[in-house]
Amino acid sequence: MEGMLYRKQEMESHAKKAASSFSLSSHRSWQNVYCVLRKGSLGFYKDQKSASSGIPYHGEVPISLGEAVCEVAHDYKKRKHVFKLRLGDGKEFLFQAKDETEMASWIHSIHSSIPAGGSGDHSPRGPRALSRAMTMPPISPSSADAAGVTMRNKEGKERDREKRFSFFGKKK
């Protein structure tokens, strides 16, 4: 399968977010790339002409889909028709299709292209599928109360949180 998709790299490894550099291939911005899915790998090109000539997008090597997990990105709310591809090495990409049908087609094709030994047929709750949000410690109900708007000082007087952290002091 091949076609144009928007791509955004979220993670470079299990514990490292993608760098936000100002180069042409800034990893954390959305890029319009021509994707080619072949035999357990996904290659990126500027357009169909570059793909047929074999000229990769910014010299990128096609990514291997071994141990990859592909699913709808339900947690991503900024754009519609976005799916997530997590690789075995911890890299994580978001892709945006033009509509629901194209997104489903890409997900199905990627699942079909994942080698039999990969984790594509395992539950997305495996150890490699932990998202950044899932690694945060749980918030206890008592700590949620402490983060409220109203604070108390030593004398027990209430004061507004915004005033407490404002740049200018309160005039007396």
Side-chain angles (χ1 to χ4, degrees):
M1 182 169 181
E2 53 187 73
M4 293 299 288
L5 291 173
Y6 284 96
R7 175 189 74 171
K8 179 180 185 179
Q9 185 171 356
E10 285 285 281
M11 298 291 284
E12 284 184 12
S13 66
H14 289 292
K16 184 179 178 189
K17 272 190 164 185
S20 58
S21 62
F22 292 104
S23 66
L24 290 174
S25 62
S26 178
H27 293 291
R28 291 185 53 194
S29 62
W30 286 94
Q31 305 154 339
N32 197 11
V33 292
Y34 191 80
C35 302
V36 178
L37 182 62
R38 270 192 207 118
K39 299 177 185 171
S41 69
L42 184 61
F44 305 108
Y45 304 89
K46 180 181 175 190
D47 51 26
Q48 189 175 9
K49 184 179 174 185
S50 297
S52 59
S53 304
I55 303 168
Y57 185 75
H58 293 287
E60 295 178 20
V61 179
I63 57 174
S64 171
L65 297 177
E67 297 186 19
V69 176
C70 185
E71 61 193 7
V72 177
H74 294 292
D75 57 340
Y76 193 81
K77 306 286 185 205
K78 294 179 184 177
R79 292 181 178 218
K80 290 184 177 184
H81 318 302
V82 174
F83 62 97
K84 185 184 301 188
L85 179 64
R86 281 190 300 264
L87 306 178
D89 62 1
K91 287 184 181 172
E92 189 174 295
F93 294 92
L94 294 178
F95 293 95
Q96 181 188 23
K98 68 179 180 216
D99 56 27
E100 197 76 25
T101 309
E102 185 184 43
M103 180 179 71
S105 179
W106 272 102
I107 292 172
H108 177 74
S109 296
I110 289 171
H111 278 283
S112 301
S113 185
I114 293 174
S119 63
D121 48 357
H122 294 301
S123 166
R125 295 282 176 239
R128 294 191 183 274
L130 289 177
S131 70
R132 292 177 306 283
M134 294 168 70
T135 61
M136 295 295 292
I139 299 172
S140 67
S142 61
S143 67
D145 295 338
V149 176
T150 307
M151 306 282 294
R152 294 187 187 272
N153 63 11
K154 289 180 195 173
E155 292 81 31
K157 295 180 183 172
E158 293 183 358
R159 57 182 173 179
D160 190 72
R161 185 178 179 89
E162 288 180 40
K163 290 178 185 171
R164 180 175 177 229
F165 292 106
S166 69
F167 185 70
F168 298 103
K170 192 173 168 183
K171 292 183 180 177
K172 293 184 181 182

